[in-house]
Amino acid sequence: DAGDLFTKRRVAVRFENAIPELHARQERSRKSLDEVLATLGPPQSGDRVVNFFPRFFRHYAGPQAGKPFRLEPWQERYVREFWRRDKRGRRIYTFGLLAVPKGNGKTALAVGLGTNELMDRHVGEVPQVYGLAGARKQASFGQEFVKRSIDHTELGNFLRKSGSTIT
């Protein structure tokens, strides 16, 4: 009926006109990267890195699927030790080596640490983070982990994916 069609068209036009205002509201309420990172802990601290994982990553398979990605206790100890500072505030370590058996979460840890470095920039630095793996399948696992996080968490507000590149 013509009246019903007119009503549907009027609703559609109202909706279409409301979209720019909804986008503007969303932009105004979105926190900047610096504001979000500040909630995770002091800059360049182990706390900030440990808290980065559940804020920006989720489990995508298994019994934990959909839950925040929290580091295992051994992973958290490694991160906190690696980001430890001396009395003058300088990092103690500049190089880290991690060797654990297959299937214990090295890839997710490495991907998360690389993503953290990409996002938690030091003033004047533009980091380049490379992901390397001994097998193509392992490399694709790490890349998919980040891509899913960009699609399903607020990581997508700050990073973009283009083919095999994350910017």
Side-chain angles (χ1 to χ4, degrees):
D1 139 280
D4 191 39
L5 186 61
F6 180 73
T7 301
K8 287 179 182 177
R9 176 69 183 137
R10 189 173 48 206
V11 169
V13 167
R14 276 189 191 155
F15 180 75
E16 193 174 303
N17 291 337
I19 289 174
E21 175 56 30
L22 290 173
H23 285 278
R25 263 195 234 163
Q26 184 180 26
E27 277 302 312
R28 286 191 302 269
S29 68
R30 184 179 293 167
K31 291 183 177 181
S32 73
L33 178 58
D34 289 337
E35 290 172 314
V36 170
L37 292 175
T39 68
L40 303 179
Q44 303 302 305
S45 70
D47 284 344
R48 190 156 168 159
V49 178
V50 167
N51 293 326
F52 181 86
F53 281 81
R55 178 71 184 244
F56 292 109
F57 295 108
R58 300 283 175 270
H59 289 278
Y60 297 106
Q64 298 287 326
K67 293 182 179 175
F69 189 96
R70 299 197 187 287
L71 295 175
E72 295 292 327
W74 71 266
Q75 293 170 318
E76 184 173 334
R77 284 191 305 273
Y78 177 81
V79 166
R80 288 188 186 285
E81 179 63 23
F82 188 69
W83 263 264
R84 196 161 50 101
R85 305 286 175 158
D86 65 16
K87 291 178 182 176
R88 294 169 66 189
R90 296 177 303 193
R91 283 189 55 182
I92 294 171
Y93 305 103
T94 57
F95 179 83
L97 180 63
L98 177 65
V100 295
K102 180 178 178 180
N104 279 293
K106 294 183 302 289
T107 300
L109 178 62
V111 167
L113 293 175
T115 305
N116 176 71
E117 284 299 307
L118 186 65
M119 293 178 63
D120 198 1
R121 297 181 179 124
H122 315 291
V123 176
E125 291 184 6
V126 181
Q128 291 185 1
V129 178
Y130 298 93
L132 306 172
R136 181 175 291 214
K137 183 177 179 182
Q138 199 65 26
S140 68
F141 171 75
Q143 195 170 54
E144 277 304 307
F145 186 69
V146 174
K147 286 181 177 182
R148 282 185 172 181
S149 296
I150 289 172
D151 289 340
H152 299 292
T153 71
E154 67 181 316
L155 198 58
N157 293 340
F158 308 110
L159 295 178
R160 300 285 173 259
K161 57 187 180 176
S162 174
S164 63
T165 303
I166 307 292
T167 56

